[in-house]
Amino acid sequence: METTQRKTGFLAPWRNMLLWKQIVIALVLGIAVGVVLNITGNEAVAGTIKHIGTLFLSLIKMLIVPLIFVSLVCGMASVSDMARMGRIGLKSVVFYLCTTAFAISIGLLLGTLFQPGVGIDLGTAAAMEAKTPPPFVEQLIAIVPKNPIAAAADGKVLQIIFFAIMFGLSINLVGDAGKPIRDFFEALNSVILKLTEIVISFAPYGVFALMAWVAGTYGMDLLLPLGTIIAALYIGCILHAVFVYGGLVTFVSRLNPLRFFQGIVEPQIVAFTSTSSSGTLPVTITAVQKNLGVDRSVASFTLPLGATINMDGTAMYQGIAALFVAQAFGVELGMSEYITIILTSTLASIGTAGVPGAGLVMLSLVLTSVGLPLEGVAIIAGIDRILDMARTSLNVTGDAACTVVIAKSEGQLDFDAYNTPHVLEAPDLLKA
Ligand code: ASP
């Protein structure tokens, strides 16, 4: 989304600006306009501006079904050569799933401790009261779709995810005969990612409208507590990186954790600024091999797989955000909803594409799974870039941690390289 061709004309400074800067400006302008509308008693105008935000939300919701299905099929189908990669694949999947469950738990814990949505009364959850979720066992059984086409048409996300996993794995199992389908899905994936990029380029306008509506309608009462979500996520990401990844590297692999963190500085910073773990992949692969001495055979498999299915930061974000929305709308969540959030956030994070803002798209399915109002996405959208920076950085750190731990366990780690303080030089990064 970064502009390569310089635009000219009256709006050139705006049109040539990087998207993230546009979004920050839109966020600030939205708050300013909303506050003015609020102070001057023009809440109705804020309500009108909201339509632009609703349009943006419809655009991102439009992507949910194709995005989940195609990116998950590609993720599963990219586990090529199952026989050789089977053991590493199994270890990676176990590592990724376990750390993701930890991340959501940390997210739910911090969401409970920080109570980011408490005091932001966004109305009573009238729609919620009418709904009684079916028993948990029934929900589990319902994950298997009787008709995958109907599941897609109805936007039944868990069912789509289940079918996508089975479908992707089957592409693998048929070997060469499945190549045309694999190639087709890879091409389709590029198209869907481009579509996502186009939709996300409207984010500044959506963000402006949504923030103006929120600030105009709810005033500073709502805006200030958004700082609590940001704090909760950033603290959660740091805790997860230091204790979960640092702990695994130290106690499972018996390696120096400081060297690990030093060796992945570049991908962490690139991820933080680009908010795309897929975009950061070349830098991650280079850093893990050159700085940390991981053999190419491991890195070239676990890192792309991780960039597709391992999103601990995204999962943690979804856990915190779901609690935020529940608190803000005054919805009581029971144990079965907590379990559903853990399950859907894990699956949603697996299906999240490693592109900017994809976690926001997926948030709507986590909210839907427990019957929370989708307006919650609108509120989070206003600060999503700031949250995306932290979660993408954690996503990439998790991929690298898994790669180091597995490489060590497979005897594919060069200890001399690992223990030699060396940080990639600029030319390496440029080549990567
Ligand atoms: N931007 C994140 C990533 O690329 C995905 C997300 O939006 O959560 O890892």
Side-chain angles (χ1 to χ4, degrees), residues 33-122:
V33 169
V35 167
V36 171
L37 290 177
N38 190 262
I39 292 172
T40 55
N42 281 308
E43 280 92 346
V45 179
T48 310
I49 295 177
K50 187 192 172 192
H51 294 311
I52 302 170
T54 308
L55 193 65
F56 169 63
L57 277 183
S58 301
L59 281 170
I60 60 173
K61 279 187 232 161
M62 171 183 87
L63 296 171
I64 294 179
V65 173
L67 193 64
I68 302 169
F69 185 68
V70 176
S71 75
L72 201 49
V73 167
C74 286
M76 288 296 135
S78 68
V79 186
S80 57
D81 194 356
M82 300 277 274
R84 191 168 61 87
M85 300 312 290
R87 199 176 54 231
I88 293 177
L90 188 68
K91 283 182 190 174
S92 317
V93 170
V94 169
F95 184 107
Y96 288 149
L97 286 181
C98 292
T99 53
T100 301
F102 255 105
I104 305 164
S105 307
I106 292 176
L108 290 176
L109 189 73
L110 290 175
T112 309
L113 286 178
F114 279 65
Q115 302 269 300
V118 164
I120 308 171
D121 185 16
L122 285 185

Side-chain angles (χ1 to χ4, degrees), residues 6 15 22 59 71 150 154 159 189 281 304 338 350 360 379 397 406:
R6 303 293 296 174
R15 296 176 68 206
Q22 289 184 338
L59 281 170
S71 75
D154 296 341
Q159 298 190 347
N189 195 38
L281 199 52
Y338 273 82
I350 293 171
L360 180 68
I379 300 154
T397 307
I406 289 176

Side-chain angles (χ1 to χ4, degrees), residues 25-35 207-213 215-216 223:
I25 291 173
L27 173 72
V28 174
L29 279 181
I31 294 173
V33 169
V35 167
V207 163
F208 168 79
L210 297 168
M211 282 316 286
W213 160 64
L223 300 179

